[in-house]
Amino acid sequence: MPTSQHLAAQDLSARLDPMRQAAPLVHCLTNTVVQTVTANALLAAGAAPAMVDHPEEAGVFAGVAGGVLINTGTIAPHQVQSMPIAARAANDAGVPWVLDPVAVGFLPVRTGLAADLLELGPTAIRGNASEIAALAGMGEGGRGVDSVDSSEDAIPAAAELARRTGAVVAVSGARDIIVWVEEADGASSGEVRTLAIDSGSDLMPRVIGTGCALGALVAAYLASVAGEGPSARLRAAAVGAAHAHSSAAGRIAGRTHQQPGSFAVGWMDALSSLDAAALIDEVSVSEL
């Protein structure tokens, strides 16, 4: 497709059925708070989860998985070893991997680890605005895992990361922002593209795991397009589709569930029941 063509909701919805048909195995090196939520979200969406984080096994498993998530939420000493091993193994095997730099900024161990992982070349980076700004060296992080900035505030930081790494960079929040560097004839054109996705529910930040599970969904969607070529636009569509899937499910759940507990169940159910036509109806997509 020509690089001037904008991504639209139809481009994102078109990735839903292929992801489910592929049912990719997603290797999650993620935090202990959200492991069950992440596994259930992957299963509900149509993918398959695995949680293998022993240093002697993480690299082996990353090399055979469809996609890999590396999430720095509650890092333990063994994960500081296993996460770079998994990233290198994914690179060697051509497996897409996602860096979710949870709570980077003022906490030194995870901040240093995320910086090291960034040098290994993630396929995509997903975080809230404060995390993306801190990872780019343009902020100090948020309040724990919560952002103190808007998604739009982090667009310059996301663009810097996209230029530096070649990754698709996603900033999640009330409005999700997807940033990538366009390619022409297989080479970077240097043009930074920015996609905005509007949907979701105000209850999503009040339920644990919606953001971390989103990182795993990004890995699942990237896995489903890995055999279709190295197009940056295709990777951006996959990352955008994961965000659209999660936020559309949130919007659907929010119509009938007004409290966090029931909303969490409704969101999981909507991840499963959502189809491509409903996804188009539930999200607004625009390029900025």
Side-chain angles (χ1 to χ4, degrees):
M1 292 183 177
T3 59
S4 60
Q5 181 175 338
H6 287 185
L7 286 173
Q10 290 83 351
D11 297 298
L12 308 190
S13 68
R15 306 314 319 172
L16 176 57
D17 289 340
M19 186 278 290
R20 285 178 170 157
Q21 291 163 6
L25 176 61
V26 180
H27 178 198
C28 303
L29 294 91
T30 191
N31 72 75
T32 57
V33 178
V34 302
Q35 286 183 346
T36 300
V37 175
T38 298
N40 282 335
L42 283 170
L43 289 168
M51 312 284 169
V52 180
D53 66 355
H54 191 287
E56 293 183 16
E57 295 183 339
V60 177
F61 205 90
V64 300
V68 176
L69 167 67
I70 297 180
N71 174 304
T72 62
T74 57
I75 52 168
H78 73 280
Q79 291 179 319
V80 175
Q81 299 177 55
S82 60
M83 287 178 174
I85 292 171
R88 292 188 185 97
N91 286 339
D92 290 344
V95 173
W97 67 279
V98 178
L99 173 60
D100 193 338
V102 176
V104 299
F106 70 96
L107 292 171
V109 175
R110 76 188 59 221
T111 301
L113 174 62
D116 292 342
L117 290 167
L118 193 65
E119 296 302 314
L120 297 178
T123 311
I125 302 165
R126 189 225 70 87
N128 67 37
S130 294
E131 291 163 348
I132 294 300
L135 189 64
M138 300 169 67
E140 297 181 354
R143 188 185 65 177
V145 299
D146 296 326
S147 179
V148 296
D149 304 298
S150 73
S151 300
E152 288 87 348
D153 291 337
I155 289 175
E160 167 61 22
L161 287 173
R163 290 191 193 97
R164 188 191 312 172
T165 66
V168 178
V169 182
V171 189
S172 56
R175 162 180 268 191
D176 292 332
I177 301 292
I178 314 296
V179 177
W180 72 101
V181 177
E182 192 59 88
E183 292 174 345
D185 299 322
S188 172
S189 69
E191 178 188 3
V192 175
R193 305 285 291 273
T194 304
L195 189 75
I197 301 172
D198 291 291
S199 190
S201 165
D202 292 342
L203 284 172
M204 295 184 78
R206 297 180 62 192
V207 174
I208 66 162
T210 54
C212 293
L214 175 55
L217 289 175
V218 169
Y221 272 91
L222 284 169
S224 72
V225 303
E228 298 184 38
S231 163
R233 186 178 188 276
L234 183 60
R235 293 194 301 273
V239 173
H243 284 72
H245 192 163
S246 175
S247 60
R251 176 171 285 184
I252 291 168
R255 290 198 186 101
T256 53
H257 302 286
Q258 283 75 50
Q259 297 299 325
S262 60
F263 174 83
V265 174
W267 177 70
M268 199 71 69
D269 287 346
L271 285 175
S272 176
S273 63
L274 186 73
D275 61 21
L279 190 150
I280 292 173
D281 291 339
E282 297 294 344
V283 300
S284 175
V285 178
S286 58
E287 285 210 34
L288 303 180

